[in-house]
């Protein structure tokens, strides 16, 4: 059984804008403090042509934590609501 902690980072993707920069910073901090934690960030993990929705749900399913970097844009997006609902239904810890 794999006991390595996995964190899915949910945020508004804005192509190196402030939301992406914040996600990069948080991911860097986590890796510096706890290098054994595996971080899943959709913009880095899902390849062009992948089934976006299925892969995001799969990645949330295999995560221990859903870390939400909340911005006004993300909070009002349909993706945010879907990701949070999915994480809750799977009893993934939401931060």
């Amino acid at each position: 059984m794999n006991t390595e902690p996995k964190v899915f980072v949910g945020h508004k993707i804005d192509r190196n804008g402030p939301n992406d920069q914040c996600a990069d910073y948080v991911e860097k901090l986590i890796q510096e403090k706890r290098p054994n934690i595996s971080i899943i960030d959709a913009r880095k993990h899902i390849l062009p042509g992948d089934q976006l929705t299925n892969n995001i749900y799969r990645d949330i399913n295999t995560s221990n934590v859903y870390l939400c970097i909340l911005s006004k844009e993300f909070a009002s997006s349909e993706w945010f609501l879907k990701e949070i609902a999915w994480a809750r239904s799977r009893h993934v810890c939401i931060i």
Side-chain angles (χ1 to χ4, degrees):
M1 180 177 174
N2 186 1
T3 59
E4 177 182 301
K6 290 176 88 174
V7 176
F8 183 92
V9 179
H11 63 94
K12 171 73 174 163
I13 297 173
D14 60 359
R15 300 181 187 212
N16 295 320
N19 295 300
D20 283 354
Q21 291 172 8
C22 183
D24 288 340
Y25 181 73
V26 168
E27 291 170 19
K28 180 181 173 187
L29 287 176
I30 292 170
Q31 288 298 289
E32 287 175 356
K33 300 291 183 188
R34 299 285 304 273
N36 65 318
I37 293 178
S38 176
I39 297 175
I40 301 170
D41 184 332
R43 69 195 157 110
K44 298 174 185 174
H45 190 251
I46 297 174
L47 303 174
D50 281 352
Q51 292 287 329
L52 185 63
T53 303
N54 291 340
N55 286 351
I56 287 175
Y57 289 159
R58 179 204 61 221
D59 291 339
I60 292 172
N61 277 347
T62 62
S63 296
N64 308 91
V65 175
Y66 176 94
L67 176 62
C68 177
I69 299 177
L70 198 57
S71 65
K72 182 179 178 181
E73 298 88 1
F74 192 48
S76 62
S77 76
E78 185 177 328
W79 276 110
F80 168 70
L81 297 175
K82 287 180 179 181
E83 289 178 9
I84 291 292
W86 190 259
R88 288 183 69 203
S89 73
R90 301 296 186 244
H91 305 287
V92 174
C93 177
I94 300 170
I95 299 174

